[in-house]
Amino acid sequence: MSGGGSKVTKILSSALHGLVSFTAGGLLVLKAAPHVFPHQLCMNPTELKDHSGTIQIPERFRENLKDVLAKLGIAGHESKITLFICSGFSPLSAGSTKLPNGAVIGLPRSFLFENNQDVVNSGITFGKRQINWKSKLGIKLKESLVATNGNIAFLLGHELCHIRSLDCKYQISLAPAWLYATYRLAWATNRVLPRIATVNAIVKLLVIAGSYQAFCVTNQSILHRQEFRADALSAECDVQMALGGVDYTVKRLKLNTVLRALQGPAGELRYSEEGNERKSYSHPKLTERLRQLEEILSKKLQGR
């Protein structure tokens, strides 16, 4: 009987090992896919479209891209980067100039507005709610949606810093590697624990739960550090980009406070009074990012 039980245990062990390996590999492919195929899996699903098709990128965005690439010391890479307009109000990027399919950068749809009248003429609504553009809330909303060249340059610099630093390598590899390491650690407890099924199960569950919590903290720390670094590298290019970064962050905080008011109780749950997103996992608080940008701008203005 003991021999039969040993065989069953070995079969189950092999099956579990195969399942974990397959899951880790699948997770690796899932994480890597948007960066290997950025046009198909990142740009196409999130690109802003109208009745005639995709929205064309204004030429001033392409000129900004060339200027920022030069300031970052990677001039000539514009052919490997595709710009597009996102359907939402947050930027994004995927891919790498070192990969065959290059990289994509999505700019917020609000960057199409060059002045307050553009915002009014757009017919934009929030949750099917019409905006009174002459009200205090409407005026505040218009001011938060108009982008300057400095805003565009800063945000391009921010996303280019993610691309240049290959920040995606952490997003791709951390979760699969952590999953497999957790499995090996949990399984290794068999060597030191008494062969009591209940004790083994409890310890393994504790190891898995503890590992998951540690992963969440570590992953968030890496993501936040990447955001702060991208902000800093972009803002440190020159005074105009630093000023653009401060201005953009202030506008985003202002936009969030408007959304908080427009969305009622749901808005209060999502946004703080200052305009920070309460449940943002991947990005630091906007007020913390603004503080860093203001410090960089102050140094730039002082010639340091």
Side-chain angles (χ1 to χ4, degrees):
M1 290 294 292
S2 60
S6 177
K7 287 182 179 179
V8 171
T9 301
K10 288 181 180 179
I11 291 171
L12 290 175
S13 175
S14 297
L16 180 60
H17 179 80
L19 178 62
V20 172
S21 298
F22 177 80
T23 303
L27 192 56
L28 182 67
V29 171
L30 189 66
K31 293 282 188 180
H35 299 284
V36 177
F37 305 104
H39 295 80
Q40 295 85 352
L41 299 179
C42 179
M43 187 176 80
N44 288 351
T46 61
E47 192 173 14
L48 180 65
K49 299 177 177 67
D50 60 14
H51 63 277
S52 61
T54 57
I55 304 297
Q56 295 300 310
I57 287 289
E59 188 58 33
R60 64 191 179 107
F61 289 6
R62 302 185 195 282
E63 292 302 320
N64 255 309
L65 177 63
K66 291 180 182 179
D67 291 342
V68 175
L69 283 168
K71 291 174 182 178
L72 289 172
I74 47 177
H77 282 204
E78 55 266 22
S79 62
K80 299 178 181 179
I81 299 169
T82 302
L83 296 180
F84 70 98
I85 302 297
C86 296
S87 57
F89 292 98
S90 297
L92 57 85
S93 60
S96 169
T97 55
K98 297 179 181 179
L99 294 174
N101 291 323
V104 299
I105 297 177
L107 295 172
R109 60 185 299 180
S110 58
F111 276 22
L112 293 171
F113 305 138
E114 296 187 44
N115 51 59
N116 289 350
Q117 195 57 44
D118 284 347
V119 180
V120 176
N121 294 340
S122 70
I124 192 170
T125 60
F126 291 88
K128 297 183 180 179
R129 179 173 173 176
Q130 296 294 326
I131 308 297
N132 178 4
W133 295 111
K134 294 182 180 180
S135 67
K136 289 183 178 179
L137 207 61
I139 293 170
K140 191 175 181 181
L141 182 58
K142 283 187 290 186
E143 293 173 347
S144 68
L145 290 176
V146 176
T148 65
N149 282 334
N151 298 154
I152 297 167
F154 167 76
L155 214 55
L156 283 172
H158 176 98
E159 297 302 331
L160 285 169
C161 287
H162 281 312
I163 293 169
R164 184 182 66 175
S165 301
L166 282 176
D167 286 346
C168 63
K169 63 181 179 288
Y170 296 104
Q171 300 167 24
I172 293 170
S173 62
L174 184 62
W178 202 288
L179 172 64
Y180 189 76
T182 300
Y183 158 72
R184 298 296 297 181
L185 179 62
W187 203 254
T189 58
N190 292 337
R191 301 174 185 174
V192 294
L193 292 174
R195 294 187 177 182
I196 303 174
T198 305
V199 174
N200 269 277
I202 291 173
V203 171
K204 282 180 172 57
L205 286 174
L206 288 173
V207 169
I208 292 169
S211 179
Y212 176 74
Q213 290 298 320
F215 167 76
C216 289
V217 172
T218 303
N219 190 44
Q220 186 178 56
S221 176
I222 291 172
L223 291 171
H224 284 199
R225 188 164 63 248
Q226 289 175 347
E227 292 302 315
F228 280 124
R229 187 184 67 238
D231 277 351
L233 291 173
S234 181
E236 285 170 355
C237 285
D238 61 28
V239 172
Q240 292 305 313
M241 287 178 66
L243 186 59
V246 169
D247 184 50
Y248 170 76
T249 309
V250 169
K251 286 176 178 174
R252 190 57 200 256
L253 283 165
K254 188 182 292 186
L255 173 62
N256 288 351
T257 59
V258 173
L259 294 176
R260 171 187 164 93
L262 289 174
Q263 295 173 5
E268 292 177 5
L269 288 174
R270 184 172 182 181
Y271 303 106
S272 69
E273 292 182 6
E274 297 86 3
N276 288 311
E277 291 190 39
R278 295 188 187 276
K279 297 180 181 180
S280 176
Y281 173 81
S282 60
H283 288 68
K285 290 181 178 180
L286 284 170
T287 48
E288 294 176 357
R289 296 173 67 180
L290 177 60
R291 192 177 304 118
Q292 176 185 256
L293 290 168
E294 287 175 335
E295 290 174 0
I296 293 171
L297 177 60
S298 177
K299 291 179 181 178
K300 286 286 183 183
L301 291 174
Q302 294 172 18
R304 289 189 284 165

